[in-house]
Amino acid sequence: MRVLLVGAGGVGSAITKIAARRGFFDRFVVADYDLARAEAAVAALGEAEQRFTACRADASDEEEVARLLTEHGCDVLMNATDPRFVMPLFNAALAAGAHYVDMAMSLSRPHPADPYGTCGVKLGDEQFERAEEWEKSGRLALVGMGVEPGLSDVFARYAADELFDDIEEIGIRDGADLTVEGYDFAPSFNIWTTIEECLNPPVVYERERGWYTTEPFSEPEVFDFPEGIGPVECVNVEHEEVLLVPRWVGARRVTFKYGLGDDFIGKLGTLHALGLDSTEPVTVRGEDGRPVRVSPRDVVAACLPDPATLGDRMTGRTCAGTWVKGTKDGLPREVYLYHVVDNQWSMREYGSQAVVWQTAVNPVVALELLASDVWSGSGVLGPEALPPRPFLDLLTAYGSPWAMREQDPSPALPAPAPAPAPNH
């Protein structure tokens, strides 16, 4: 297998570190708009860099990316950029006859008249509109293959296949006890993506109603996370799993909730009130006095520390998981399938902070399954469309096992005081 990795930031560079220890590929071409960043990602691999090549690429330029795929003879495009570039990269892979993998899907647009009740353009809609073309091409676009979405979707399919006869609700629950020394506000994941998913209207799925939206941070509940993290207040956030899981897994309700905390929610609310979450360029005066067009959200991102550089200052654990409630053999059952990464471990083993590493390991596992034809298909598919057991077994073989906790079926606890520091 020959892979074109587009994006050499935190997650992209973690992907190279993880892949470098595996033998399933012949060549990894690492491309970034900033050539120096791509070269640094390759140089950091030491002796393993012989199977890696760095080059420059503009992720917004479909023709350039398609040309790179062809020139390097790549079988698959791995998208490690932010969601703004999903569609040009997705289209470039189709044009070049390559497979495609991403960790976040095409952007949503709120309903113009009823944003907090009715879906507008949903996450992934633009990609699914081209599903027939992908199927006819015989190529696979594996979408939402990070940790959330990604591993969380694999958990949902595993639960449906092996743990339940009937599923009442699938709820992705994400929480952490991560702290970053020296910063009052330092998100551990890309702030551009964080703003997008946290301030957009969250989507909920119900079988009788279909997909609908609510107000941001709705339906607060306390979820008790495993392995010492403990109770964290979680709220509804827009996320791909709610749009993916119901397409392939039968459940009466699907939700996604983050453990954010009052302080984090308050800061996001302030950004929104000031218009600093906007992606529409505004005019400001440059150093030479001439007008310059900039996106407020890009300014916010530029003012915050790069999440990939926070590992040395970060302590704690991050937990991604899927809570499932239903019945098995006529009896009620409730489980939480989860994956925990300790920042101290990921920094020691890979030099990557926990949230970044946890996101990066899952697409590498998926690439290895595709390379061996254990996973295969054509069209636009989510992770839950493919057999879950090989993925979970290989994830464990990578040295990062998952776990399952049986829970007593009971209603969620009421929301308490502020929660620990946010995850992503």
Side-chain angles (χ1 to χ4, degrees):
M1 173 180 278
R2 299 175 70 90
V3 181
L4 174 62
L5 170 68
V6 183
V11 173
S13 59
I15 284 173
T16 62
K17 293 173 185 175
I18 297 165
R21 302 188 184 189
R22 307 297 295 186
F24 67 87
F25 64 94
D26 302 311
R27 175 65 55 182
F28 240 83
V29 180
V30 183
D32 196 277
Y33 189 80
D34 181 351
L35 176 59
R37 188 160 69 168
E39 290 174 336
V42 171
L45 302 176
E47 295 180 1
E49 73 173 88
Q50 296 170 347
R51 290 188 294 159
F52 293 78
T53 302
C55 68
R56 185 187 181 280
D58 181 349
S60 68
D61 189 332
E62 292 181 21
E63 292 184 1
E64 179 185 348
V65 174
R67 186 170 60 253
L68 280 173
L69 284 163
T70 301
E71 287 178 358
H72 291 278
C74 292
D75 306 290
V76 58
L77 189 158
M78 177 72 246
N79 177 1
T81 64
D82 71 53
R84 286 175 291 182
F85 303 110
V86 162
M87 287 312 296
L89 295 175
F90 177 84
N91 291 334
L94 180 60
H99 300 297
Y100 170 86
V101 180
D102 66 27
M103 292 167 277
M105 298 173 67
S106 59
L107 293 171
S108 64
R109 293 191 294 277
H111 191 279
D114 184 23
Y116 304 129
T118 303
C119 292
V121 176
K122 302 187 298 300
L123 292 168
D125 275 357
E126 289 184 80
Q127 290 173 286
F128 282 113
E129 285 174 1
R130 303 202 68 183
E132 186 175 347
E133 295 174 71
W134 277 89
E135 191 167 354
K136 288 180 178 178
S137 75
R139 296 294 182 265
L140 170 64
L142 178 57
V143 297
M145 190 60 255
V147 59
E148 293 172 341
L151 177 58
S152 51
D153 304 71
V154 173
F155 283 149
R157 177 61 185 266
Y158 173 75
D161 286 357
E162 301 195 25
L163 304 178
F164 289 85
D165 298 323
D166 181 70
I167 295 177
E168 178 181 336
E169 182 169 354
I170 294 174
I172 316 307
R173 298 294 183 264
D174 179 301
D177 60 1
L178 294 168
T179 59
V180 182
E181 180 186 357
Y183 289 98
D184 293 327
F185 185 57
S188 55
F189 202 71
N190 180 292
I191 188 60
W192 202 100
T193 305
T194 300
I195 290 174
E196 181 74 16
E197 62 192 21
C198 289
L199 293 180
N200 278 352
V203 180
V204 175
Y205 172 81
E206 293 181 359
R207 183 180 294 165
E208 302 303 320
R209 184 175 175 181
W211 287 293
Y212 65 92
T213 55
T214 71
E215 293 189 2
F217 317 124
S218 58
E219 298 183 0
E221 69 176 57
V222 173
F223 192 86
D224 187 16
F225 287 91
E227 300 194 22
I229 296 174
V232 178
E233 182 182 352
C234 299
V235 293
N236 278 327
V237 169
E238 180 190 51
H239 232 252
E240 286 88 346
E241 291 95 327
V242 179
L243 288 313
L244 286 172
V245 169
R247 295 175 184 269
W248 289 283
V249 177
R252 287 193 283 280
R253 194 168 195 262
V254 182
T255 58
F256 180 98
K257 293 187 180 184
Y258 260 163
L260 293 173
D262 287 348
D263 180 66
F264 193 74
I265 291 172
K267 286 183 169 64
L268 289 178
T270 299
L271 291 176
H272 178 65
L274 296 174
L276 295 175
D277 61 324
S278 174
T279 60
E280 292 298 321
V282 297
T283 301
V284 299
R285 180 171 296 184
E287 290 183 359
D288 59 1
R290 296 181 180 180
V292 178
R293 298 281 285 169
V294 296
S295 160
R297 193 184 298 186
D298 287 340
V299 173
V300 171
C303 291
L304 291 172
D306 180 353
T309 67
L310 297 175
D312 290 336
R313 293 171 172 258
M314 187 182 293
T315 57
R317 294 143 298 185
T318 181
C319 178
T322 302
W323 163 75
V324 187
K325 180 180 180 180
T327 59
K328 177 68 174 177
D329 298 328
L331 298 174
R333 190 180 196 186
E334 190 172 328
V335 303
Y336 183 56
L337 301 150
Y338 65 91
H339 183 249
V340 170
V341 177
D342 186 287
N343 187 74
Q344 185 177 5
W345 175 87
S346 64
M347 287 297 297
R348 182 180 67 250
E349 294 294 321
Y350 287 88
S352 297
Q353 57 103 319
V355 176
V356 164
W357 189 91
Q358 189 182 47
T359 303
V361 67
N362 294 285
V364 180
V365 172
L367 286 174
E368 184 161 346
L369 292 175
L370 293 172
S372 61
D373 289 325
V374 174
W375 271 13
S376 63
S378 62
V380 179
L381 302 180
E384 53 278 276
L386 299 166
R389 175 56 78 174
F391 186 99
L392 296 174
D393 289 345
L394 188 54
L395 178 64
T396 300
Y398 271 52
S400 189
W402 59 283
M404 183 180 81
R405 180 180 68 188
E406 291 274 1
Q407 303 188 183
D408 293 329
S410 60
L413 298 172
N423 179 2
H424 55 287

